[in-house]
Amino acid sequence: MIDTHIHADLRSGEDFKEMYLSGIDVAITCGFYPYKVDNEIVLLNHLNRILKLETERAFEHGLKLKVALGIHPTNTKINPKMIYESLYNWIKSREIIAIGEIGLENLTVDEINIFKKQLDIADETKTKVIIHTPRKNKAKVLKVILDILPQHIDEKLAVIDHINPSVVNSVINKDCMLGLTVQPQKMTKEEAITILNEYGFDKFLLNSDISTKASDPLSVPKTIRELQKQNYNKKDIEKVSFLNAEKFFKI
């Protein structure tokens, strides 16, 4: 199994061990600084920590981490040039598999400008992007994201994450992949399965988005087990368990 969106730097080694023992072989950890930061050097150091330390820490417990790095919309009160330069270097050295998570939260000018620039870098380098959508005002913010996206990047390079039943209909016909976050206070495994049942399995990725918020590091295997329990087609289950992620991220 592949958990396609976590924040490893915010979790314990015990979580990694439980994930591995539950059948998760690979997880994609994304960039996000959980506190207000107004210094790009602090943010860059944090992103380098994810790249170097967290991959080693997870592997000690059997879990292989793939890394996505970028400027999260809540971390946009900085001078981003240093991070942009690092993104080019990480992409060139193949240290990251995607730019992420990026996106919009409060629709500030800084957020929008930094989001657009990171999309431009991704399009230029043909790198995948993992796009955050917020808990609050999701439909409103998602509409802005969908307006910006095709102006800056081939939609086939993008995952729009944290999709839920209230907005899935607005993105299902886009060329993006769609992330389903099964997490307390975000979406239950039953709601995720309802989406899969209605729209099919080809466009979706599963993740737990474990972070400082209420989280369940085993939400992906629990969802997969529930699909098996309900006798969904094995090949369909494999798509959201690992095949879609392997194909999209080329891992």
Side-chain angles (χ1 to χ4, degrees), residues 62-125:
L63 185 66
K64 295 179 182 177
L65 281 187
K66 300 295 183 179
V67 179
L69 296 178
I71 304 173
H72 189 280
T74 60
N75 300 148
T76 50
K77 291 294 183 181
I78 59 166
N79 182 337
K81 292 183 180 179
M82 185 181 295
I83 309 298
Y84 298 155
E85 292 173 3
S86 295
L87 284 173
Y88 279 112
N89 291 333
W90 292 326
I91 292 165
K92 184 177 180 180
S93 61
R94 299 186 178 182
E95 292 178 276
I96 63 175
I97 63 167
I99 297 175
E101 66 185 297
I102 64 175
L104 300 174
E105 182 80 20
N106 297 309
L107 301 179
T108 68
V109 172
D110 287 338
E111 282 181 18
I112 291 171
N113 288 339
I114 289 176
F115 178 50
K116 289 178 178 179
K117 177 60 178 179
Q118 290 183 107
L119 291 176
D120 289 339
I121 293 172
D123 195 56
E124 176 189 344
T125 59

Side-chain angles (χ1 to χ4, degrees), residues 101-213:
E101 66 185 297
I102 64 175
L104 300 174
E105 182 80 20
N106 297 309
L107 301 179
T108 68
V109 172
D110 287 338
E111 282 181 18
I112 291 171
N113 288 339
I114 289 176
F115 178 50
K116 289 178 178 179
K117 177 60 178 179
Q118 290 183 107
L119 291 176
D120 289 339
I121 293 172
D123 195 56
E124 176 189 344
T125 59
K126 298 297 180 281
T127 302
K128 302 301 196 306
V129 291
I130 298 173
I131 299 175
H132 164 90
T133 58
R135 294 169 186 258
K136 296 180 180 179
N137 301 317
K138 186 180 288 286
K140 177 182 177 181
V141 175
L142 179 57
K143 184 178 185 302
V144 178
I145 288 172
L146 293 176
D147 287 342
I148 291 172
L149 202 61
Q151 301 177 48
H152 291 267
I153 194 171
D154 181 348
E155 291 183 357
K156 293 178 181 178
L157 293 172
V159 179
I160 301 180
D161 221 330
H162 316 319
I163 294 302
N164 65 23
S166 71
V167 297
V168 63
N169 195 52
S170 65
V171 292
I172 194 63
N173 292 322
K174 303 296 181 180
D175 286 333
C176 311
M177 293 296 287
L178 305 175
L180 300 178
T181 298
V182 180
Q183 184 189 86
Q185 303 173 5
K186 273 193 175 179
M187 187 166 61
T188 66
K189 65 179 184 292
E190 289 79 15
E191 289 173 316
I193 290 171
T194 296
I195 290 174
L196 294 169
N197 186 63
E198 182 171 354
Y199 296 100
F201 290 69
D202 292 342
K203 293 177 65 70
F204 293 99
L205 306 172
L206 282 177
N207 68 74
S208 63
D209 191 26
I210 52 174
S211 64
T212 57
K213 301 289 187 181

